[in-house]
């Protein structure tokens, strides 16, 4: 009976550790984090822990729904009103602005598509 209990405790600890160290995938231009099997991950993806993704400002994908039990933001009651505690965020947010593609068409004109890629080119160029 004791061996069954110890096995159960060990399995519980291993499963809880895997939730805490869950890895997710992000793309170069996206603002969401995904599971490895998500249909939105195709070519460029980077693997990191779920805590790092949240700290960098990424949100969970609504399709693959990577779950995490994270601590809720601390709320304090002051004079019957709820206010969030403000802590300085040392990491920059992951906001990118779409710019016009720098590629040229066959006619020699500039491409009219918008892109968020770092190289300034759309998916066709």
């Amino acid at each position: 009976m004791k061996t069954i209990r110890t096995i159960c405790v060990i399995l519980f600890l291993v499963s809880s550790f895997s939730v805490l160290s869950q890895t997710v995938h992000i793309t170069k231009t996206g603002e969401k984090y995904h599971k490895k099997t998500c249909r939105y991950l195709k070519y460029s993806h980077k693997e990191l822990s779920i805590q790092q993704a949240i700290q960098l400002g990424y949100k969970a994908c609504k399709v693959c729904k990577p779950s995490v039990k994270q601590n809720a933001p601390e709320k304090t009651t002051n004079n019957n009103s709820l206010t969030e505690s403000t802590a300085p965020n040392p990491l920059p947010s992951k906001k990118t602005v779409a710019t016009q593609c720098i590629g040229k068409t066959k006619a020699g004109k500039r491409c009219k598509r918008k892109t968020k890629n770092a190289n300034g080119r759309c998916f066709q160029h």
Side-chain angles (χ1 to χ4, degrees), residues 97-103 110-115 120-122:
V97 178
T99 58
Q100 187 176 359
C101 176
I102 61 171
R110 189 170 175 187
C111 179
K112 294 181 180 178
R113 289 190 176 85
K114 297 282 187 176
T115 183
R121 298 182 181 272
C122 70

Side-chain angles (χ1 to χ4, degrees), residues 60-78:
C61 174
K62 293 183 180 178
V63 175
C64 64
K65 299 176 183 157
S67 63
V68 64
K69 292 181 180 180
Q70 56 179 315
N71 297 335
E74 295 179 11
K75 301 217 176 194
T76 59
T77 42
N78 188 7

Side-chain angles (χ1 to χ4, degrees), residues 85-104:
S85 64
T86 56
N89 189 3
L91 299 173
S93 64
K94 175 72 175 165
K95 295 289 182 183
T96 57
V97 178
T99 58
Q100 187 176 359
C101 176
I102 61 171
K104 300 283 183 184

Side-chain angles (χ1 to χ4, degrees), residues 31-103:
E31 296 177 358
K32 309 270 185 196
Y33 58 88
H34 309 270
K35 289 182 181 178
K36 187 174 184 175
T37 58
C38 185
R39 68 179 183 210
Y40 287 118
L41 287 177
K42 285 191 177 184
Y43 305 112
S44 63
H45 56 89
K46 180 180 173 183
E47 181 177 328
L48 35 101
S49 73
I50 197 160
Q51 287 83 14
Q52 288 174 333
I54 292 171
Q55 286 177 348
L56 290 173
Y58 289 94
K59 305 290 183 211
C61 174
K62 293 183 180 178
V63 175
C64 64
K65 299 176 183 157
S67 63
V68 64
K69 292 181 180 180
Q70 56 179 315
N71 297 335
E74 295 179 11
K75 301 217 176 194
T76 59
T77 42
N78 188 7
N79 298 333
N80 296 331
S81 64
L82 291 175
T83 59
E84 290 187 22
S85 64
T86 56
N89 189 3
L91 299 173
S93 64
K94 175 72 175 165
K95 295 289 182 183
T96 57
V97 178
T99 58
Q100 187 176 359
C101 176
I102 61 171

Side-chain angles (χ1 to χ4, degrees), residues 13-31:
L13 291 175
V14 168
S15 66
S16 65
F17 180 71
S18 67
V19 169
L20 293 175
S21 65
Q22 180 181 3
T23 58
V24 292
H25 297 267
I26 60 170
T27 60
K28 287 182 182 178
T29 58
E31 296 177 358

